[in-house]
Amino acid sequence: MNKQQLANKIWASANKMRSKIEANEYKDYILGFIFYKFLSEQEVRFAKENDLTDLTQLIEEDAQTVNWVQNNLGYFIAYDNLYSTWTSKYFDFQIANVRDALSAFTRLISPTHKKVFSGIFDTLQTGLKKLGTSDAEQTHAVSDLLSLIKDIPMNGRQDYDVLGFIYEYLISQFAANAGKKAGEFYTPHEVSLLMSEIVAYHLKDRSQIEIYDPTSGSGSLLINIGKSVARHIQQDNCIKYYAQELKQNTYNLTRMNLIMRGIVPDNIIARNGDTLKDDWPYFDENDKENTYHPLHVDAVVSNPPYSQSWTPPRKPKNGEMGEVNPRFDDYGIAPKGKADYAFLLHDLYHLKTDGIMTIVLPHGVLFRGDAGDGSEGSIRQQLIENDNIEAIIGLPSDIFFGTGIPTIVMVLRKSRSTSDVLIIDASKGFKKEGKKNKLRASDIKRIVDTYVAKKEEQKFSRLVSKEEIRANGYNLNIPRYVNSSDDVETWDLYATMFGGVPKSELTAMNDYWQAFAGLDDSLFKATDTPQTEFKVEDIRKTVENYPSVKGFKNLYAEKFGGFSGMLRHHLLDNMLSLNIAAEEDAITFYIFKQLEQMPLVDRFEAYQLFADKWQTISQDLEIIQSEGFEATRVVDANMVTKKKDDKEYEVQDGWIGRILPFELVQTTYLKSEWQALHSKEERLDIVGSNLEETLGELADDERDGITNDDGALDKKSLESKLAEALEEVETPEILALNEYLLLSKKKDKMAFIEAHDEIDWDCVTTCKDGTYGKPAANTLISNYRANFDFPEGSYEAHLIKLNSLLNESKVLKSEIKVTSVELHEHTKVTIEQELTDEDIMSLLSMKWIESLCAHLSTLPQTIIDDFTNKLVALQKKYATTLVDLEHDIHDASVQLADMIDELTGNENDMAALQEFKKVLVNA
């Protein structure tokens, strides 16, 4: 399984195993055991790398070994407490083993690593009792958990971080199922990635970086920031991570997540505390005066709780404001009510002068309060006047777990050389995934590129001057500056009345007319009025065949003529050594470069087509780089979940290529076998359609006798009805055979046989005396009945056809089953044993390169189709005028009035009808 498949499997099982335990709680147990497994296997790997192969020597009584492990890893786990020991078939695991192990872990943390590891398993330790009411139940539950996570590799390379991927995937899935509590520990990956790319761009030229998240949750936001920044740094371990989190269980998640990503303990400084009430302790608790060191970092990122209740600190006796915290010296303290600006000012305070911060906030921070009245408006005013706000990015609603409100990402800096504010309305760019909205790769790319270039784009972004913001009273509500709403459809009054096509609506398509030079003259009549008319009947055919439209497609094809060659060189020739992240950037740059002078093509749409395919390509590359080229020859068991007696269990359902898809191998190297199977499957589809069609031709009462309660054809009923119908068939041959059956003497039978040569006596066997027995005669009767030609369209003809189709369907299904199994097994052998390296390279080229190129090549036709649909819609829009409608109504009224004269009734009815006729005629 690849990392996504493994993550899906673990989540599906974990979600079932948690039973009635809240997702928000159960996550702490499974994630805690994953972390324990990580530490355990890290120690095993360390021991073996240093020639300690006998792991039973890892005992607490051996002080020298304990110190040796502690000094290198920061902790010590004895042999009896190792994950590998617990899961050994020779070990009798009990819940007491976990309790003893967690207690021992706390005791055996290295003094130098107390801040990193101390209390990290407290949530797991105290929560064990929730996994069952007895030791036996808890033992069973934990055993299942340990078994569930056994396949997660713990030694992934940075570019194939399966552990990190699965860990974050599980966090995201628990968040999706945790309701409102989800916001306490998880920022959606896409939002995290957006913030990361913005921060990484700002810090890309620095060699040593410190980043801080004051509301760290699971730590995923910090990790993604660090990962994006690290792409621009050549050396390892150059990023220091500061994290603060209020809730202890979530604080533990932060530390686990950071440690498992291979971040050295010295670069992890995490704290469990209230960010607003108890600012970062920039001193040692035991020596405050001599260790004072304010925390100022290169980047602050945060997704604080939205509009959390907030009361500014006051002196307890007289109620006056207490000493202003240095975090709020320059801007004033956020007023009582909502804590959004308190978090913002906290983050800004901890920035270095040349630092950058990104923070997720509700829309209210943009417009609540007025400037100069001591409210949030006053703080906003000072942030604008001090040039702190660099960008405001409006996000789609329903993008965060636990809330559906629309939010923003605000980008701030302490020092800028410009005063404009870039406002981006990205609320329309997303895809629907379940009940939530999700930013696509192209949405993130569009936002980041717009931020980097400070680019203005209609209905998407604007650079707003400080003067304009002042004029608006420092109100930063996005619609004041960027109108992203769809244009209201307009109707031309003259064209509505009299028809034609308004030239004003053609002007709105100027980009198309410029790209498709001369096309408008071929489509529309030349007039000197504000209206024109289509002069062609087939708009689509005219557009498709027009030279400049063909030229547009050819130009696109020319620009990407060298794309496949570039991809082969980059992806195939260097697959084992290339930097996957850098390669993604290089391919993106190539695509954007080719599209620079390409009209009509939205480069971000092209990027999305690339991103859709890159997900598979990069995943394959990760596996190959981690496991070697031989991974392309690996075939894994395809495990599926089946249900029996209300219990689910895993069974194998064939095989699946780790890299190479079975169907691709079959259609390329086993084509004749695949075509034979495919032909049978196609014929089965045709038979199925014919069955449905034939059954549909019968009357309801005729169908009732041969279908079940669900309306499906019932074979037994069909055969019974058919037998009844055939029993009534009488032909001259059948009548003669019935006479033959009444004969008893040989002489009479022989004379009968000789006299009736119209009967096909040769198809049955004679008796010893030369006559035909009763079975033979009955066989002949059955044959004549079976081959009787009922009138076409008759009920009996339908029954025969249905029966024939059912029999053919049965045979086809049996043959397909056998052929499919044979082809499946042959494919497995082909991948594992028969494909040469050249064959595999060819298949990879098809899967990665040809697939990507084909995907990208669809873009020009999509643009042409969209344009043609607009033209067709425009033609239909004014095809029927109000004058036409008036004529149609009049004609219909006259026809109805004439029909009234044909009606009869009593005197009152006729009087009423005559009055109604007058109304119709006058209409």
Side-chain angles (χ1 to χ4, degrees):
M1 286 182 284
N2 59 41
K3 60 185 179 183
Q4 183 64 66
Q5 292 166 333
L6 181 57
N8 290 341
K9 173 189 171 184
I10 293 173
W11 162 247
S13 299
N15 198 34
K16 294 184 185 75
M17 286 164 59
R18 72 181 176 90
S19 186
K20 296 179 181 180
I21 302 176
E22 291 289 336
N24 190 43
E25 292 182 15
Y26 194 74
K27 79 175 189 307
D28 295 324
Y29 311 143
I30 184 169
L31 297 177
F33 277 115
I34 290 174
F35 181 63
Y36 189 85
K37 180 182 185 234
F38 168 81
L39 296 179
S40 177
E41 295 195 3
Q42 182 175 251
E43 181 175 314
V44 170
R45 192 164 58 252
F46 169 76
K48 290 181 177 179
E49 287 172 354
N50 289 276
D51 300 325
L52 182 60
T53 55
D54 182 6
L55 298 179
T56 59
Q57 295 180 36
L58 294 170
I59 56 176
E60 190 174 341
E61 291 74 18
D62 185 349
Q64 184 177 355
T65 300
V66 171
N67 290 332
W68 172 60
V69 175
Q70 285 179 331
N71 291 337
N72 284 277
L73 300 180
Y75 62 90
F76 175 82
I77 300 175
Y79 171 77
D80 285 345
N81 296 333
L82 292 172
Y83 171 86
S84 56
T85 303
W86 289 350
T87 54
S88 167
K89 62 181 179 181
Y90 304 108
F91 190 80
D92 182 21
F93 175 79
Q94 299 294 324
I95 192 64
N97 299 124
V98 177
R99 296 195 189 101
D100 294 343
L102 297 182
S103 178
F105 181 87
T106 302
R107 187 174 65 253
L108 295 169
I109 297 171
S110 168
T112 59
H113 289 70
K114 286 287 184 183
K115 288 187 177 179
V116 176
F117 291 114
S118 183
I120 203 164
F121 288 114
D122 284 358
T123 309
L124 177 59
Q125 200 162 7
T126 57
L128 289 175
K129 60 181 179 293
K130 293 188 178 182
L131 295 175
T133 56
S134 65
D135 281 4
E137 287 184 2
Q138 292 171 22
T139 296
H140 179 72
V142 173
S143 294
D144 286 346
L145 273 175
L146 296 177
S147 176
L148 177 62
I149 64 176
K150 70 180 185 302
D151 293 328
I152 303 177
M154 299 289 172
N155 58 343
R157 298 169 28 150
Q158 184 178 1
D159 290 337
Y160 188 53
D161 189 8
V162 180
L163 168 63
F165 177 87
I166 292 173
Y167 199 79
E168 177 159 346
Y169 179 80
L170 290 176
I171 291 174
S172 71
Q173 292 303 305
F174 279 120
N177 287 266
K180 291 187 177 180
K181 293 182 179 179
E184 297 174 359
F185 61 85
Y186 187 67
T187 301
H189 177 73
E190 294 73 28
V191 178
S192 175
L193 188 59
L194 168 63
M195 298 167 74
S196 302
E197 292 298 311
I198 290 172
V199 170
Y201 173 77
H202 184 76
L203 303 179
K204 65 181 183 299
D205 298 321
R206 305 187 190 188
S207 57
Q208 297 286 333
I209 294 169
E210 294 178 311
I211 54 179
Y212 169 41
D213 185 346
T215 55
S216 61
S218 67
S220 297
L221 179 55
L222 261 183
I223 287 165
N224 282 312
I225 298 286
K227 197 172 181 181
S228 293
V229 170
R231 289 166 67 170
H232 302 284
I233 301 176
Q234 300 301 318
Q235 294 179 314
D236 295 332
N237 304 323
C238 295
I239 303 174
K240 184 161 283 192
Y241 299 80
Y242 294 88
Q244 182 159 319
E245 173 55 42
L246 174 63
K247 295 184 178 294
Q248 185 185 23
N249 63 329
T250 313
Y251 158 68
N252 290 335
L253 274 185
T254 292
R255 291 187 292 168
M256 291 178 190
N257 213 353
L258 289 168
I259 293 166
M260 283 194 293
R261 300 308 177 103
I263 300 168
V264 295
D266 287 344
N267 283 345
I268 299 173
I269 303 96
R271 177 179 182 243
N272 183 201
D274 188 320
T275 294
L276 296 182
K277 290 182 179 178
D278 190 10
D279 190 19
W280 190 268
Y282 36 74
F283 46 73
D284 188 315
E285 295 288 350
N286 299 319
D287 187 11
K288 294 185 179 182
E289 291 186 10
N290 295 320
T291 58
Y292 178 84
H293 178 68
L295 176 67
H296 295 300
V297 297
D298 298 284
V300 181
V301 293
S302 64
N303 177 20
Y306 308 139
S307 301
Q308 176 179 290
S309 179
W310 158 256
T311 302
R314 294 177 181 273
K315 288 184 178 179
K317 291 184 179 179
N318 55 19
E320 294 179 1
M321 289 294 291
E323 181 182 345
V324 177
N325 189 293
R327 293 175 291 176
F328 312 122
D329 272 345
D330 297 332
Y331 300 89
I333 196 162
K336 181 178 179 179
K338 296 177 172 63
D340 301 317
Y341 270 102
F343 280 113
L344 185 152
L345 294 177
H346 168 91
D347 291 8
L348 187 62
Y349 170 77
H350 285 288
L351 267 190
K352 291 178 181 176
T353 305
D354 60 351
I356 186 171
M357 65 169 274
T358 58
I359 181 172
V360 181
L361 295 166
H363 270 247
V365 301
L366 301 177
F367 51 80
R368 289 195 303 248
D370 296 319
D373 66 355
S375 68
E376 291 180 330
S378 298
I379 298 174
R380 194 164 57 245
Q381 176 184 10
Q382 292 184 72
L383 290 169
I384 291 295
E385 291 299 339
N386 291 343
D387 303 327
N388 296 128
I389 300 178
E390 183 177 31
I392 296 167
I393 302 164
L395 299 176
S397 58
D398 281 321
I399 203 167
F400 287 90
F401 297 113
T403 180
I405 65 170
T407 52
I408 64 164
V409 171
M410 190 179 288
V411 185
L412 299 98
R413 289 164 59 184
K414 272 194 173 175
S415 177
R416 290 198 299 144
S417 58
T418 59
S419 61
D420 293 343
V421 177
L422 177 66
I423 297 182
I424 299 174
D425 187 344
S427 61
K428 300 296 176 67
F430 61 88
K431 68 176 179 180
K432 198 77 178 173
E433 199 165 272
K435 295 181 180 179
K436 307 304 291 182
N437 296 327
K438 183 177 179 180
L439 291 173
R440 298 164 297 176
S442 57
D443 300 322
I444 297 169
K445 182 71 174 169
R446 186 187 294 271
I447 296 167
V448 173
D449 283 9
T450 301
Y451 164 79
V452 169
K454 301 296 185 286
K455 178 185 175 184
E456 292 191 318
E457 182 180 333
Q458 191 175 12
K459 293 186 177 294
F460 186 70
S461 62
R462 263 194 72 202
L463 269 174
V464 183
S465 68
K466 186 188 294 187
E467 290 70 29
E468 184 177 351
I469 295 173
R470 281 182 187 141
N472 280 318
Y474 299 94
N475 186 315
L476 295 173
N477 200 16
I478 293 174
R480 280 180 177 256
Y481 306 98
V482 179
N483 178 13
S484 65
S485 59
D486 295 331
D487 292 331
V488 177
E489 184 179 12
T490 60
W491 287 76
D492 183 88
L493 186 59
Y494 184 90
T496 302
M497 291 298 299
F498 304 107
V501 177
K503 290 181 180 178
S504 59
E505 296 197 30
L506 297 180
T507 303
M509 302 181 185
N510 270 346
D511 287 346
Y512 292 104
W513 306 130
Q514 290 176 15
F516 306 143
L519 177 61
D520 51 346
D521 293 333
S522 292
L523 287 170
F524 301 101
K525 296 177 180 178
T527 67
D528 55 2
T529 66
Q531 279 75 33
T532 182
E533 292 180 14
F534 280 97
K535 63 181 182 182
V536 298
E537 292 186 6
D538 194 332
I539 296 173
R540 293 188 186 279
K541 185 177 180 180
T542 303
V543 172
E544 284 287 347
N545 293 327
Y546 199 74
S548 59
V549 175
K550 290 182 176 179
F552 169 74
K553 295 168 75 172
N554 292 336
L555 176 62
Y556 185 90
E558 287 172 12
K559 284 184 172 292
F560 285 92
F563 190 44
S564 61
M566 183 272 277
L567 291 174
R568 284 189 180 88
H569 173 64
H570 283 240
L571 300 182
L572 296 180
D573 297 348
N574 305 298
M575 71 173 72
L576 292 172
S577 59
L578 63 82
N579 182 304
I580 297 174
E583 200 57 52
E584 179 183 3
D585 293 340
I587 297 173
T588 301
F589 178 81
Y590 180 93
I591 293 173
F592 282 10
K593 190 72 176 173
Q594 300 312 113
L595 295 176
E596 282 181 354
Q597 302 300 319
M598 189 71 208
L600 299 180
V601 178
D602 183 339
R603 63 179 188 160
F604 296 106
E605 287 186 23
Y607 175 78
Q608 186 62 53
L609 293 175
F610 160 65
D612 292 341
K613 294 295 181 181
W614 183 251
Q615 189 172 6
T616 298
I617 296 169
S618 61
Q619 197 170 80
D620 287 349
L621 286 169
E622 288 174 352
I623 296 173
I624 291 171
Q625 290 189 352
S626 175
E627 301 175 15
F629 186 74
E630 285 304 305
T632 58
R633 290 190 169 89
V634 175
V635 173
D636 297 313
N638 182 37
M639 305 305 294
V640 296
T641 301
K642 296 209 171 177
K643 196 169 186 178
K644 186 177 180 181
D645 300 330
D646 292 328
K647 290 185 179 180
E648 292 184 341
Y649 56 97
E650 266 196 336
V651 296
Q652 182 178 346
D653 182 19
W655 306 92
I656 186 169
R658 185 166 296 179
I659 300 287
L660 299 178
F662 269 38
E663 187 173 5
L664 180 61
V665 175
Q666 291 165 359
T667 55
T668 307
Y669 292 105
L670 304 173
K671 198 161 188 176
S672 60
E673 295 172 54
W674 178 84
Q675 283 180 332
L677 174 62
H678 191 59
S679 297
K680 285 182 170 61
E681 290 172 336
E682 284 184 333
R683 178 57 194 166
L684 183 62
D685 288 339
I686 293 171
V687 169
S689 298
N690 289 344
L691 273 168
E692 189 175 339
E693 183 181 342
T694 305
L695 187 62
E697 292 171 355
L698 294 175
D700 289 345
D701 58 331
E702 293 174 329
R703 279 199 300 270
D704 289 343
I706 57 174
T707 56
N708 57 28
D709 293 340
D710 297 326
L713 196 59
D714 183 77
K715 185 165 177 59
K716 286 186 178 180
S717 300
L718 173 64
E719 289 175 343
S720 175
K721 286 287 184 183
L722 183 57
E724 291 175 10
L726 293 176
E727 193 67 32
E728 297 177 4
V729 172
E730 289 187 349
T731 67
E733 293 85 357
I734 294 174
L735 291 173
L737 286 166
N738 282 328
E739 287 181 34
Y740 177 81
L741 288 171
L742 297 174
L743 301 175
S744 58
K745 296 180 180 180
K746 176 183 176 182
K747 179 179 68 172
D748 295 337
K749 288 183 179 181
M750 294 299 293
F752 190 94
I753 293 168
E754 186 175 349
H756 291 275
D757 57 357
E758 78 276 11
I759 297 174
D760 189 10
W761 299 105
D762 293 338
C763 68
V764 289
T765 306
T766 63
C767 298
K768 290 181 180 180
D769 63 357
T771 63
Y772 295 94
K774 187 176 180 180
N778 284 329
T779 297
L780 285 169
I781 291 172
S782 296
N783 288 345
Y784 282 118
R785 282 175 173 163
N787 294 314
F788 180 75
D789 286 330
F790 288 99
E792 187 176 349
S794 66
Y795 176 61
E796 293 82 1
H798 279 81
L799 293 180
I800 290 174
K801 186 176 180 181
L802 287 170
N803 192 54
S804 174
L805 289 169
L806 269 182
N807 290 334
E808 185 181 1
S809 175
K810 182 179 179 181
V811 172
L812 282 169
K813 286 178 180 177
S814 176
E815 290 176 350
I816 287 170
K817 184 176 181 180
V818 173
T819 307
S820 181
V821 170
E822 290 174 350
L823 177 58
H824 195 76
E825 290 300 321
H826 192 183
T827 308
K828 176 179 182 294
V829 173
T830 300
I831 293 174
E832 292 177 330
Q833 302 174 23
E834 297 176 0
L835 292 177
T836 65
D837 288 356
E838 290 75 17
D839 293 336
I840 292 172
M841 293 293 274
S842 177
L843 289 166
L844 290 176
S845 178
M846 292 179 204
K847 183 183 180 185
W848 298 347
I849 298 167
E850 292 176 25
S851 174
L852 172 55
C853 290
H855 205 44
L856 272 173
S857 70
T858 62
L859 198 50
Q861 189 60 51
T862 301
I863 292 168
I864 294 167
D865 289 344
D866 288 344
F867 170 59
T868 307
N869 290 338
K870 290 178 182 178
L871 292 175
V872 172
L874 183 60
Q875 181 190 44
K876 291 179 179 178
K877 182 176 179 180
Y878 297 107
T880 303
T881 67
L882 289 181
V883 173
D884 294 333
L885 286 174
E886 182 185 14
H887 290 157
D888 291 343
I889 293 170
H890 178 267
D891 292 345
S893 298
V894 170
Q895 290 177 13
L896 185 56
D898 291 342
M899 293 169 62
I900 287 176
D901 292 337
E902 299 175 12
L903 299 177
T904 59
N906 61 39
E907 185 178 347
N908 289 334
D909 288 343
M910 296 309 295
L913 286 171
Q914 289 303 314
E915 195 63 29
F916 180 48
K917 179 179 177 181
K918 292 178 184 178
V919 173
L920 290 173
V921 172
N922 290 333

